[in-house]
Amino acid sequence: MAGLEQYHDKRDFKKTSEPPGKVARTKKSEAGGIFVIHKHAATRLHYDLRLEHGGVLWSWAVTRGPSLDPHEKRLAVHVEDHPIDYAPFEGTIPKGEYGGGSVIVWDEGTWVPETDPAKAMRKGHISFELKGHKLHGTWHLVRLKPRGGEKRENWLLIKADDVAARPGEDILKEAPESVMSGLTIEEVGEGKSAKGQEPKVLKSGKPAAAKSR
Ligand code: MN
């Protein structure tokens, strides 16, 4: 069940410029939609992978970021659903607020699940294709068996071994900037903003066509 209670409870919208957002209306038959990866310089730098489903963005905090190397298994901590309006968010969350630190849109595009995404989520193994600017091809999210005392579910984000795989390469270093504004997270932290640039990430069901490089 999609809901944004946790998202709203954690934030004070008088203090943060993040959008309050609502659960978007979607057709039940819809599978896949937009995806976005936010690079987030919070207390600890991480990358938030978000996949549209059921009118919200399913979200995982990928502590070391995605890797194009199929041998790399990256820890992805399942976090609260975010509103779809969150997709184009770039800016700086004030210090002391939840998630305080700067955020950029590191990649965006569309995702296509291989099987029914709700069932895959319950099963704990989601296989999907990403059509982004930086990320392409098939990916897996695999839930780890819970261990006692963990508040959140730990998953692994793994690149499938396909034509889009790039063993040994580091996409995080090669392409650190925002696909929306072209800014680095450091520049956003210094208060720079790309005025006059329209967000490429659109509303639910109408993702911007991802340009292939
Ligand atoms: Mn985050």
Side-chain angles (χ1 to χ4, degrees):
M1 273 252 293
L4 293 170
E5 292 80 9
Q6 273 195 58
Y7 173 85
H8 289 135
D9 286 351
K10 286 172 186 284
R11 290 168 177 80
D12 181 349
F13 295 101
K14 291 190 190 98
K15 293 180 179 160
T16 181
S17 55
E18 295 165 290
K22 307 187 259 194
V23 177
R25 287 159 149 265
T26 51
K27 286 187 201 128
K28 261 202 165 161
S29 59
E30 265 173 33
I34 62 167
F35 91 89
V36 62
I37 294 184
H38 287 111
K39 183 177 180 180
H40 184 186
T43 313
R44 201 174 153 191
L45 180 73
H46 61 274
Y47 294 75
D48 292 298
L49 167 64
R50 310 193 196 281
L51 305 174
E52 177 182 2
H53 179 80
V56 297
L57 297 171
W58 281 344
S59 297
W60 289 263
V62 185
T63 43
R64 291 172 58 221
S67 173
L68 302 182
D69 188 333
H71 303 104
E72 289 282 329
K73 297 177 172 71
R74 296 287 163 94
L75 178 65
V77 181
H78 190 207
V79 297
E80 76 276 12
D81 294 343
H82 279 51
I84 286 168
D85 287 352
Y86 202 92
F89 178 74
E90 274 194 15
T92 300
I93 302 163
K95 267 197 183 147
E97 295 305 303
Y98 181 73
S102 299
V103 177
I104 60 168
V105 177
W106 183 80
D107 199 12
E108 59 91 23
T110 56
W111 80 289
V112 183
E114 279 183 4
T115 57
D116 179 80
K119 273 186 201 159
M121 178 66 122
R122 282 195 296 273
K123 204 176 112 195
H125 189 158
I126 310 171
S127 298
F128 54 98
E129 188 188 354
L130 291 181
K131 298 175 181 176
H133 302 262
K134 300 174 185 176
L135 303 186
H136 306 275
T138 301
W139 295 75
H140 299 286
L141 271 167
V142 183
R143 187 170 58 218
L144 296 171
K145 284 219 173 78
R147 288 186 287 184
E150 287 169 344
K151 277 186 202 152
R152 285 168 159 176
E153 285 175 357
N154 290 328
W155 294 60
L156 295 173
L157 176 67
I158 309 161
K159 178 74 198 77
D161 196 357
D162 61 11
V163 291
R166 298 281 182 274
E169 285 188 17
D170 189 350
I171 186 77
L172 306 179
K173 283 198 177 134
E174 281 166 32
E177 73 294 326
S178 164
V179 293
M180 202 172 78
S181 63
L183 298 171
T184 64
I185 200 152
E186 291 80 11
E187 288 170 330
V188 168
E190 289 158 12
K192 284 188 192 163
S193 61
K195 292 240 167 68
Q197 265 185 286
E198 286 295 309
K200 286 175 192 156
V201 183
L202 304 179
K203 305 279 172 178
S204 168
K206 288 178 189 166
K211 281 176 224 130
S212 54
R213 292 186 302 154

